[in-house]
Amino acid sequence: MSTPNLTATEGEVYVALADTTQVFPATIEDERWNGFAVPRFRRTVAESIALWLNTMHDHDPEEWPDTATFDGDVLTVLETEEHRPDRIEPDENNRYAIGYRGWCWELTAPPADPQADAGLLADSARLVPEDGEILVTINIDGTDPVFPALASEIYGWSRAGCPRFRRTVAESVVAWISDTARKYPEGSDLAYWDGDTIVMVDHQAIGEDGYLPARITAAADGRYSIGATFEWERAD
């Protein structure tokens, strides 16, 4: 579970250092650095990053040589390998550019709950079609779930279609996306809920300048159009 200061606020996304699982909320600059995000963190999040760095250093100083301390409003990261301190002062928005254009920050999603996802996918009652709905799937390995949905108003039912899901079904779809990312972590898209909004992270686009995760809100009829770039297929 995320602690309060590690939950994204308006305008923030989630980032993590490459090959790590600890996630932090931040605003990011439009321009990438070698394909990586350039984040800026709130003070409370910066404090969490400092604590995390120090904990990782204590656990494995060879793998994690850097340490971090606050002195008033200044965060100092001691980069042991470079034998120099990096003094980071808050910018005009009181945010800290930690690892500015030097650390490999990647866009990601907050941690999902595998048990909760499994429960949603096992709840067959919510996956019973209602009037006018058909079943759709993305046939990755032949065992993927099918979901009831209405046809896309734009794309019809081509492989590039975008079905429209009820909230209860959309919750299962998001759980399936998270479950798929756990099974196939390299190159998988990510999805999570931000209140009543679904946030989609396109893995192929995260390194592009200006990219931000898509935010999917419910249409007037309460349905969510999920996966405009997915290869949905009719399953019935």
Side-chain angles (χ1 to χ4, degrees):
M1 296 293 290
S2 297
T3 55
N5 66 319
L6 295 184
T7 300
T9 60
E10 184 176 357
E12 291 184 331
V13 295
Y14 289 96
V15 297
L17 286 173
D19 300 323
T20 69
T21 58
Q22 182 60 56
V23 173
F24 301 100
T27 58
I28 60 172
E29 296 183 1
D30 287 342
E31 186 177 350
R32 300 297 191 263
W33 172 77
N34 291 334
F36 294 104
V38 182
R40 294 176 181 270
F41 304 93
R42 284 175 278 131
R43 168 67 186 250
T44 53
V45 179
E47 291 171 351
S48 293
I49 294 173
L51 176 61
W52 176 70
L53 281 174
N54 293 335
T55 300
M56 298 295 284
H57 175 81
D58 291 342
H59 179 70
D60 189 347
E62 291 188 3
E63 181 71 19
W64 295 92
D66 297 348
T67 58
T69 57
F70 266 97
D71 181 9
D73 290 333
V74 178
L75 172 63
T76 298
V77 177
L78 180 59
E79 298 182 346
T80 307
E81 293 181 342
E82 300 294 332
H83 301 288
R84 65 175 178 81
D86 182 15
R87 290 174 52 83
I88 306 168
E89 297 184 7
D91 62 16
E92 64 275 11
N93 297 313
N94 292 317
R95 289 182 175 268
Y96 293 81
I98 300 174
Y100 183 80
R101 297 187 179 276
W103 292 11
C104 299
W105 292 106
E106 296 179 331
L107 282 174
T108 187
D113 184 338
Q115 291 186 332
D117 290 342
L120 287 170
L121 293 171
D123 185 1
S124 58
R126 69 173 59 217
L127 300 182
V128 175
E130 294 184 349
D131 290 345
E133 293 181 335
I134 64 170
L135 298 176
V136 299
T137 187
I138 298 176
N139 195 14
I140 297 175
D141 61 12
T143 64
D144 297 287
V146 295
F147 303 102
L150 294 180
S152 166
E153 295 177 338
I154 300 175
Y155 299 105
W157 284 109
S158 70
R159 288 177 64 86
C162 188
R164 303 171 58 244
F165 304 96
R166 287 176 276 126
R167 170 65 187 252
T168 53
V169 179
E171 291 170 355
S172 295
V173 175
V174 170
W176 170 74
I177 294 172
S178 297
D179 185 62
T180 301
R182 281 188 290 271
K183 294 177 180 177
Y184 310 101
E186 294 298 326
S188 292
D189 290 348
L190 302 170
Y192 60 94
W193 288 93
D194 179 11
D196 292 328
T197 298
I198 300 170
V199 183
M200 293 283 301
V201 182
D202 184 342
H203 182 82
Q204 294 184 346
I206 59 175
E208 298 176 1
D209 288 351
Y211 171 77
L212 289 172
R215 297 180 62 84
I216 304 170
T217 57
D221 61 0
R223 290 182 177 264
Y224 293 83
S225 297
I226 304 174
T229 61
F230 293 0
E231 293 185 346
W232 290 106
E233 300 176 355
R234 290 186 65 151
D236 62 347

